[in-house]
Amino acid sequence: MQILDGKTVAAAAKEQIKARTILHKNNIGITPHLAAILIGNNGASETYVASKIKNCEEVGFKSTLIRFELNVSESNLVEAIKKLNEDASVHGILVQLPLPKHIDEANIINCINPAKDVDGFHPISVGKLVQGLDTFVPATPLGVMMMLKYYNIETVGKNAVVIGRSNIVGRPMSILLSANTNPGNCTVTLCHSRTQNLEKICAEADIIVAALGIPNFLKVNMVKEGAVVIDVGITRVVDEKKKSGFAIKGDVDFENVAAKCSFITPVPGGVGLMTIAALLENTLKAAGAE
Ligand code: GUN
């Protein structure tokens, strides 16, 4: 069993992004600039956005954080996005999700200029992804693909099972794994809350991506000997022993599953770290760098 170490892969990716950023600045005088919109003060969102901003600084990007109160109106939010769309010095725009209930998420995502859609959530980005065209790929599934590539994991012709059909992770993950690319070329089964015989389907998989958000969901009986297990779960659970008061738990029962796998990602220290590297990659792309 080998651990797929997000720390190592993300650090390597960030070093490369840092070098390409310097080249881009020297060649055409452009510094990649990410603008993040954060609404309210949800603890997890605060942490993620702070980490995105910090990582931008680390690789030499500019960043702007725009904050709104929880009760911001949809029209004010749209106005802010339009301003960023028109601002030539901003290359990437992200609106941290989830949004408050009174705001129409689809409408907000639709307002982002697709050329600046570094989250890859805009319908144009999604459409291009489905058609195998060059586009912004959502950060979490892109991070998983970067990891598979780094560790040279064979995916061609493999049976991959993705658990979870979210627009952010599961669905784009299933598209990427089935694409005619390397990594890719898997036979993909996309499972969800209404799937029957999930245990059996998982137990036949060569690659499992667990992205359903239920801690310890994937048990040892659901995993084939030698499978590759990718854990996308990042649920906060109360843990009084931790200074923060919570621990981050994955969707995989790591303790019991790990020994059975050929490769497995830990939580924390796995896919989570890759999502930031993938966002940086998208922002560099939005700024026109190679
Ligand atoms: N919330 C959870 N994941 C993400 C993400 O990748 N992008 C944004 N904007 N919000 C999120």
Side-chain angles (χ1 to χ4, degrees):
M1 183 272 291
Q2 188 179 351
I3 296 281
L4 300 174
D5 179 17
K7 210 168 163 183
T8 303
V9 190
K14 275 171 64 181
E15 275 313 306
Q16 214 213 52
I17 290 166
K18 207 168 164 179
R20 283 157 61 209
T21 302
I22 292 169
L23 268 183
H24 198 52
K25 274 187 212 172
N26 292 345
N27 288 345
I28 58 168
I30 287 180
T31 301
H33 181 182
L34 176 72
I37 296 180
L38 176 60
I39 299 140
N41 48 12
N42 172 290
S45 291
E46 291 264 2
T47 307
Y48 298 145
V49 171
S51 177
K52 288 170 186 180
I53 298 287
K54 178 169 161 270
N55 275 271
C56 279
E57 279 167 23
E58 283 171 7
V59 296
F61 291 2
K62 279 191 228 162
S63 62
T64 301
L65 172 59
I66 300 169
R67 300 193 69 132
F68 288 100
E69 298 286 335
L70 199 60
N71 63 359
V72 62
S73 71
E74 190 163 323
S75 58
N76 279 358
L77 205 49
V78 168
E79 210 177 296
I81 294 169
K82 283 190 175 157
K83 252 197 205 156
L84 295 172
N85 283 343
E86 284 157 19
D87 184 343
S89 78
V90 171
H91 307 102
I93 302 169
L94 75 81
V95 180
Q96 188 65 25
L97 305 179
L99 297 176
K101 284 206 172 63
H102 67 279
I103 293 187
D104 179 352
E105 186 181 293
N107 180 42
I108 293 302
I109 290 170
N110 252 305
C111 288
I112 297 171
N113 177 354
K116 300 187 178 187
D117 175 35
V118 286
D119 263 330
F121 295 164
H122 192 285
I124 288 183
S125 306
V126 179
K128 285 184 173 175
L129 184 70
V130 171
Q131 293 193 343
L133 302 173
D134 184 42
T135 187
F136 297 111
V137 176
T140 303
L142 177 57
V144 172
M145 296 303 273
M146 288 162 77
M147 243 180 173
L148 294 173
K149 191 167 189 163
Y150 183 93
Y151 284 97
N152 245 323
I153 292 174
E154 183 59 77
T155 58
V156 179
K158 302 290 183 192
N159 286 326
V161 168
V162 178
I163 316 172
R165 57 181 157 185
S166 71
N167 288 337
I168 294 183
V169 185
R171 199 169 297 279
M173 189 78 252
S174 71
I175 292 162
L176 288 167
L177 287 171
S178 65
N180 186 4
T181 52
N182 187 22
N185 282 299
C186 293
T187 304
V188 179
T189 307
L190 180 55
C191 299
H192 46 77
S193 54
R194 309 297 285 268
T195 295
Q196 295 186 357
N197 302 320
L198 180 66
E199 291 190 4
K200 185 169 175 282
I201 293 168
C202 288
E204 288 170 359
D206 303 305
I207 300 168
I208 301 177
V209 180
L212 70 162
I214 301 177
N216 285 332
F217 178 86
L218 194 80
K219 304 285 189 216
V220 69
N221 65 309
M222 299 165 80
V223 177
K224 185 169 87 172
E225 193 73 44
V228 177
V229 172
I230 310 286
D231 190 349
V232 179
I234 41 160
T235 308
R236 288 180 168 202
V237 298
V238 175
D239 184 343
E240 265 136 35
K241 282 181 265 151
K242 301 265 177 193
K243 222 164 95 189
S244 59
F246 63 84
I248 302 290
K249 289 280 174 219
D251 290 349
V252 177
D253 179 10
F254 184 92
E255 224 173 273
N256 296 305
V257 168
K260 213 173 175 184
C261 301
S262 54
F263 296 94
I264 186 166
T265 63
V267 176
V271 174
L273 299 172
M274 290 309 302
T275 64
I276 300 269
L279 173 69
L280 296 174
E281 188 67 54
N282 280 346
T283 306
L284 189 54
K285 183 188 179 87
E290 294 293 318

